[in-house]
């Protein structure tokens, strides 16, 4: 990881940028997308995540809803990172991100801007916020794999 991405000020800037200007922040409501609704029982986070798959590749990720700064920013970053990835690459990103937010060893290079959440494990109550969009992606991938096996 570059020294720049180790600077707490830079990491806060990344989070605030994605919160104030979230990427892919609108839903298509198209039947071409797999949608997942996620809501937290302990805070305001209530989002919908949509994923478009073409074969084995994620071609689009979108989200909308009401969410805190951490949830909005982490889902925005996830939505950018997942586009163009194969299902296997997406699973690897999910695995590394989960390791990071739980305070375990992870691949910094793979996570790009998501390293802005590298200290979230120090505030256990924020882990749910930082993972809500990522959990939606994981569930969508699991459902798409199950659907694919049934056909």
């Amino acid at each position: 990881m570059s020294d720049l991405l180790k600077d707490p000020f830079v990491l806060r800037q990344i989070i605030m940028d994605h919160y104030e200007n979230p990427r892919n922040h609108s839903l298509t409501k198209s039947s071409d997308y797999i949608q997942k609704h996620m809501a937290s029982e302990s805070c305001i986070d209530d989002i919908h995540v949509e994923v478009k798959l073409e074969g084995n590749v994620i071609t689009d990720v979108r989200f909308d809803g009401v969410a805190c700064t951490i949830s909005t920013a982490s889902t925005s970053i996830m939505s950018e990172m997942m586009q163009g990835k194969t299902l296997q690459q997406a699973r690897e990103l999910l695995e590394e991100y989960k390791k990071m937010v739980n305070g375990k060893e992870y691949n910094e290079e793979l996570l790009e801007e998501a390293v802005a959440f590298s200290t979230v494990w120090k505030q256990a109550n924020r882990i749910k916020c930082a993972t809500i969009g990522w959990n939606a992606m994981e569930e969508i991938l699991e459902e798409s794999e199950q659907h694919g096996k049934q056909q």
Side-chain angles (χ1 to χ4, degrees), residues 2-14:
S2 76
D3 287 339
L4 199 57
L5 287 179
K6 291 182 181 178
D7 180 340
F9 178 74
V10 172
L11 298 179
R12 276 192 301 278
Q13 281 185 312
I14 291 169

Side-chain angles (χ1 to χ4, degrees), residues 17-35:
D17 178 46
H18 279 272
Y19 173 67
E20 293 170 354
N21 306 293
R23 295 6 166 231
N24 309 303
H25 194 237
S26 64
L27 300 176
T28 67
K29 297 188 178 158
S30 167
S31 62
D32 293 341
Y33 287 71
I34 302 166
Q35 187 178 107

Side-chain angles (χ1 to χ4, degrees), residues 84-102:
K85 300 290 190 279
T86 65
L87 298 179
Q88 181 59 38
Q89 290 169 324
R91 279 191 289 281
E92 289 172 22
L93 285 173
L94 285 162
E95 186 177 324
E96 292 304 310
Y97 185 79
K98 293 230 173 160
K99 286 180 195 175
M100 180 187 70
V101 297
N102 286 297

Side-chain angles (χ1 to χ4, degrees), residues 48-127:
H48 290 267
V49 176
E50 290 182 334
V51 175
K52 185 175 183 181
L53 296 171
E54 290 182 16
N56 197 34
V57 177
I58 297 168
T59 59
D60 196 18
V61 180
R62 312 203 63 70
F63 77 102
D64 203 1
V66 176
C68 71
T69 302
I70 299 296
S71 297
T72 300
S74 68
T75 304
S76 173
I77 289 170
M78 180 275 299
S79 74
E80 285 194 316
M81 289 180 66
M82 292 294 179
Q83 292 189 40
K85 300 290 190 279
T86 65
L87 298 179
Q88 181 59 38
Q89 290 169 324
R91 279 191 289 281
E92 289 172 22
L93 285 173
L94 285 162
E95 186 177 324
E96 292 304 310
Y97 185 79
K98 293 230 173 160
K99 286 180 195 175
M100 180 187 70
V101 297
N102 286 297
K104 298 180 177 151
E105 294 277 326
Y106 64 95
N107 182 336
E108 294 173 343
E109 272 72 41
L110 195 61
L111 291 181
E112 302 168 7
E113 282 189 324
V115 299
F117 301 97
S118 61
T119 61
V120 79
W121 62 272
K122 294 177 182 179
Q123 297 175 312
N125 60 326
R126 303 305 271 160
I127 292 173

